[in-house]
Amino acid sequence: MKIPVTLNGKKIIFEANSDDSLLEVLRQQKLFSVKKGCGQGHCGYCTVLLDDKPVPSCLIPVGIVRGASIVTLEHFAKSPAYADIADGFEQAGLHPCGWCNAAKYFSVYSLLSRIYRPSKEELNDLADEQHCSCTNRDTFINGVLFATANKHRREGRKNGL
């Protein structure tokens, strides 16, 4: 089956069975930031942005992504949003293990795309969604706070206004 998509900013056509997982198809494209973990959508290792929303690619049948925009961490890493988050993580002393990078970066990106200044409750909810033990809760939350400040600075906002 031919499935046209926009992958990392380029229009391409996947040649796959409609019930193949998006994870498998992306790995065939030599995109290795998309990791195979639990296979049940819980660990987040296979997270991608599908039409700008983080999803576990292991649960997405490729047949339903026709015409969609898919972004993997390889492409996202070239964006200003990635730099804001990476710098925030570094400022907090957070060093994701490599398996959970996509889950962490895309979840923070999604939150900061929707919410200007996350509340304590929103930060705690986001931390609860992180299932990798490479990072402790407080360090992760601090990384998100630094990333938020970095985004505001890049956008030219002063004192949160």
Side-chain angles (χ1 to χ4, degrees):
M1 170 179 229
K2 295 180 186 246
I3 304 161
V5 298
T6 302
L7 177 61
N8 293 333
K10 296 179 182 168
K11 294 196 180 287
I12 69 162
I13 296 177
F14 290 146
E15 291 274 350
N17 295 319
S18 62
D19 61 345
D20 289 348
S21 75
L22 180 57
L23 166 66
E24 293 168 1
V25 174
L26 292 172
R27 298 283 295 184
Q28 290 168 359
Q29 297 288 317
K30 310 258 188 269
L31 295 166
F32 299 117
S33 70
V34 186
K35 310 269 191 271
K36 186 171 184 178
C38 69
Q40 299 175 354
H42 299 295
C43 69
Y45 297 169
C46 66
T47 303
V48 298
L49 291 177
L50 179 61
D51 291 332
D52 213 35
K53 293 179 179 54
V55 298
S57 63
C58 68
L59 296 181
I60 307 295
V62 75
I64 68 167
V65 300
R66 178 178 300 279
S69 172
I70 302 160
V71 175
T72 65
L73 198 57
E74 286 93 344
H75 185 70
F76 184 71
K78 301 171 189 171
S79 72
Y82 177 91
D84 293 339
I85 299 165
D87 291 347
F89 284 0
E90 183 68 30
Q91 289 168 288
L94 188 153
H95 304 286
C97 65
W99 282 89
C100 66
N101 289 15
K104 284 185 171 50
Y105 279 88
F106 288 145
S107 66
V108 173
Y109 167 75
S110 179
L111 178 73
L112 297 183
S113 294
R114 295 178 286 112
I115 299 169
Y116 176 71
R117 184 180 293 122
S119 68
K120 185 175 183 177
E121 182 179 338
E122 289 161 333
L123 292 168
N124 283 321
D125 289 347
L126 186 66
D128 289 344
E129 295 171 8
Q130 306 307 308
H131 300 290
C132 190
S133 61
C134 72
T135 306
N136 75 48
R137 176 184 197 81
D138 291 338
T139 304
F140 178 73
I141 289 172
N142 286 337
V144 177
L145 292 170
F146 282 121
T148 303
N150 293 339
K151 178 182 181 201
H152 294 176
R153 191 173 353 340
R154 176 177 51 82
E155 293 174 345
R157 299 178 185 185
K158 296 185 183 217
N159 299 324
L161 299 175

